[in-house]
Amino acid sequence: MPITPATAANSSSNGTSPAILLELVDEQGNTIGTAEKLSAHQAPGRLHRAFSVFLFDEHGRLLLQRRALTKYHSPGVWSNTCCGHPYPGEAPFAAAARRTYEELGVSPSLLAEAGTVRYNHPDPASGLVEQEYNHLFVGMVQSALRPDPEEVGETAFVTPAELTELHGRATFSAWFMTVLDAARPAVRELTGPSGGW
């Protein structure tokens, strides 16, 4: 399981940025308003739209990322390929493709919808709450990664067995197993029965 540290291939602005707004949704995923990103994650959390991406290489291995230590939420933990929030009015598919490129420097290929999942996961370390209506996507990665070190600490391509081993000795995001389990039918369709997912 090769683990690759992120390098400074991409850079992000360190300047003051405007507030990031998220779409608040009801239990059916209908937009009901907006909220500033941090306030939406403060306990008890406000239900908002999110996305999670699972990309695989030609060998059927899942691309994981370890979140950068400077992230305000869940820093330094392993998680799925990419996750985030659409801007208000932005289609989740477009947001997933955009954010994957911003974080990892690659554009996913064969990206496909894999359903939605709703969850409420408090993060004991930060006290923040992931109260999300999450759109799931699976796809392939077919070019070299260029991770942004302000977003990504490390990356790793893992088989199901390697994921089990890593999950037993490393800390993962609170939402990781929920989104992976929800995406498994689409993951199995993408990677085939021999993939073991």
Side-chain angles (χ1 to χ4, degrees):
M1 173 182 58
I3 295 178
T4 308
T7 63
N10 293 337
S11 61
S12 297
S13 169
N14 289 326
T16 302
S17 55
I20 297 173
L21 295 178
L22 308 184
E23 270 188 3
L24 299 178
V25 298
D26 63 18
E27 293 292 339
Q28 290 72 47
N30 300 307
T31 302
I32 58 171
T34 61
E36 191 276 326
K37 183 177 179 181
L38 183 57
S39 71
H41 289 88
Q42 290 171 334
R46 299 177 74 187
L47 184 60
H48 59 275
R49 193 177 310 285
F51 64 82
S52 290
V53 177
F54 297 86
L55 297 184
F56 295 82
D57 68 7
E58 66 275 12
H59 306 294
R61 298 178 302 173
L62 171 60
L63 173 59
L64 299 176
Q65 68 156 278
R66 188 174 64 81
R67 295 165 62 86
L69 293 172
T70 53
K71 300 282 277 185
Y72 81 95
H73 189 352
S74 301
V77 302
W78 287 95
S79 199
N80 49 292
T81 306
C82 180
C83 52
H85 309 91
Y87 295 129
E90 182 181 27
F93 183 93
R98 171 184 57 78
R99 195 68 188 141
T100 300
Y101 185 79
E102 290 172 356
E103 290 190 8
L104 294 160
V106 294
S107 294
S109 53
L110 303 173
L111 192 64
E113 295 181 9
T116 59
V117 62
R118 190 260 196 255
Y119 53 80
N120 177 359
H121 285 303
D123 176 29
S126 68
L128 299 174
V129 178
E130 287 291 5
Q131 185 88 249
E132 294 187 331
Y133 187 93
N134 198 308
H135 297 257
L136 308 171
F137 299 93
V138 300
M140 303 287 294
V141 60
Q142 297 177 310
S143 54
L145 303 177
R146 295 177 291 114
D148 179 347
E150 293 187 14
E151 299 288 344
V152 180
E154 297 175 79
T155 60
F157 284 95
V158 297
T159 64
E162 289 168 336
L163 175 59
T164 299
E165 191 273 329
L166 181 63
H167 198 263
R169 64 178 170 81
T171 304
F172 276 72
S173 64
W175 61 86
F176 175 73
M177 286 310 299
T178 299
V179 292
L180 176 59
D181 286 344
R184 277 188 200 274
V187 167
R188 290 179 182 130
E189 187 174 331
L190 178 71
T191 59
S194 62
W197 292 102

